[in-house]
Amino acid sequence: MRIAVVILLSALVGLLLSAPWIDWPLPEGLIGAGLMLAAAAGLRRHWQHRAQTRGDEPGEPEREVWHGLASTSLIGAHIATTLVLAGPGAALQDLAVLHHPGRTTWLLIGGAVASYFILHRREVQRDERDRAIAEQATRVSGLVLASLVVVLAVTLGFTPAARLAPMSHVFLAHLLLLALMLSSLTDHAVRLWGYRRDTLLARENAG
Amino acid sequence: MSAPPIGNHLRRLRFDHGEMTQDALARAAGVTRQTIIALEAGRYAPSLELAFRLARVFGRRVDEVFFWREEN
């Protein structure tokens, strides 16, 4: 449940940052990056508190995955919304339609990188359990990516040229990027499910 | 997903060894504290190498630390 909430909330922020009907007081990319940094700082404090009071704070590998899940959802939703609004014929040269959102995307990526270093602890230890959870997630996300590529390949391959003609190369490139991001999101979600499952049962056994 | 078929006495052994903390056991065995938590909760079955390392921490044999659930 928590995983779905993080995905949906992050995606909502990404969507709102792309919304043309909202007149943001600052560049959207800066707002998004600022939100990421604030969320990372708040989370770090929350986990430190949990470590001191309950001792069940997530380990470094799990923290990285939470960060990846939220960042990927936010940035992916922003890119997807931009594509929908730009339409299949979007061109890079169109400043209002793609150039400005492109700059926003890069600012969001910068925010994601900066927030990672806020959450990241120096002592990073990955053990066999982390590798086992990652292995399972990689299998599932690989399957998702392969499925998406097959769907795209078949759809593009069998669509009449006349219907494909309005689609710009920029649009198609971003479709592939979104497929990759969806696969990455799946990887993060499955890893977190693995960690959450252990944590919830450990709490049940302790209680 | 069902629990692994391998149980363990890690929690009892920790308390028998001067109330060793999960963190201390994790450091001694070279794993994260979260993995010790998962092991004690019966949610994770260790590799053979980790099983030997954990047994060595307590100076016990592997079969004195871990067991098949059907037998217990």
Side-chain angles (χ1 to χ4, degrees):
Chain A
M1 182 67 179
R2 195 174 294 188
I3 298 168
V5 167
V6 169
I7 291 174
L8 289 172
L9 274 178
S10 303
L12 181 64
V13 170
L15 189 149
L16 290 175
L17 289 174
S18 312
W21 59 86
I22 298 177
D23 190 18
W24 296 99
L26 292 169
E28 297 88 347
L30 283 179
I31 293 173
L35 284 172
M36 286 187 193
L37 293 174
L43 253 183
R44 182 179 169 130
R45 211 166 14 246
H46 169 68
W47 283 332
Q48 276 172 348
H49 181 257
R50 260 175 71 174
Q52 286 158 8
T53 54
R54 283 157 39 183
D56 65 347
E57 82 283 10
E60 176 63 25
E62 187 180 344
R63 292 180 186 215
E64 286 184 354
V65 183
W66 277 114
H67 172 270
L69 184 83
S71 304
T72 306
S73 300
L74 194 153
I75 297 172
H78 164 70
I79 293 175
T81 309
T82 301
L83 271 190
V84 167
L85 293 173
L92 275 175
Q93 296 75 18
D94 193 335
L95 292 180
V97 175
L98 273 187
H99 194 68
H100 176 70
R103 207 162 47 222
T104 302
T105 302
W106 284 111
L107 280 170
L108 291 175
I109 290 172
V113 171
S115 61
Y116 172 82
F117 285 106
I118 290 176
L119 284 171
H120 182 72
R121 290 188 299 187
R122 284 205 182 163
E123 66 280 6
V124 180
Q125 188 181 10
R126 283 181 183 79
D127 59 19
E128 58 176 56
R129 176 175 155 264
D130 297 308
R131 286 191 290 272
I133 290 172
E135 196 181 303
Q136 184 187 25
T138 301
R139 271 199 303 270
V140 175
S141 66
L143 199 61
V144 166
L145 183 61
S147 304
L148 288 172
V149 168
V150 166
V151 165
L152 275 174
V154 169
T155 305
L156 293 174
F158 287 94
T159 301
R163 289 180 64 182
L164 281 181
M167 289 189 192
S168 65
H169 65 285
V170 172
F171 183 84
L172 291 174
H174 279 83
L175 269 187
L176 292 174
L177 191 61
L178 283 173
L180 198 59
M181 294 184 86
L182 204 57
S183 162
S184 175
L185 202 64
T186 305
D187 180 273
H188 290 124
V190 174
R191 286 191 203 214
L192 286 170
W193 176 75
Y195 285 121
R196 288 289 296 165
R197 188 188 55 194
D198 290 355
T199 304
L200 287 172
L201 192 63
R203 278 195 200 145
E204 279 175 29
N205 290 351
Chain B
M1 191 171 168
S2 59
I6 297 174
N8 61 76
H9 300 296
L10 289 176
R11 190 189 297 267
R12 178 178 60 77
L13 286 166
R14 272 198 302 114
F15 284 119
D16 288 346
H17 277 70
E19 296 187 2
M20 182 189 292
T21 63
Q22 289 173 331
D23 189 52
L25 177 57
R27 286 176 194 271
V31 293
T32 62
R33 186 170 59 79
Q34 286 76 17
T35 295
I36 298 298
I37 293 171
L39 279 166
E40 292 185 356
R43 285 306 308 169
Y44 179 66
S47 66
L48 190 57
E49 179 185 342
L50 178 56
F52 268 96
R53 277 203 247 119
L54 286 165
R56 195 172 67 175
V57 170
F58 298 114
R60 300 290 190 104
R61 296 194 315 268
V62 173
D63 63 329
E64 288 178 318
V65 180
F66 297 94
F67 57 86
W68 280 103
R69 288 188 194 278
E70 292 95 321
E71 291 172 356
N72 196 346

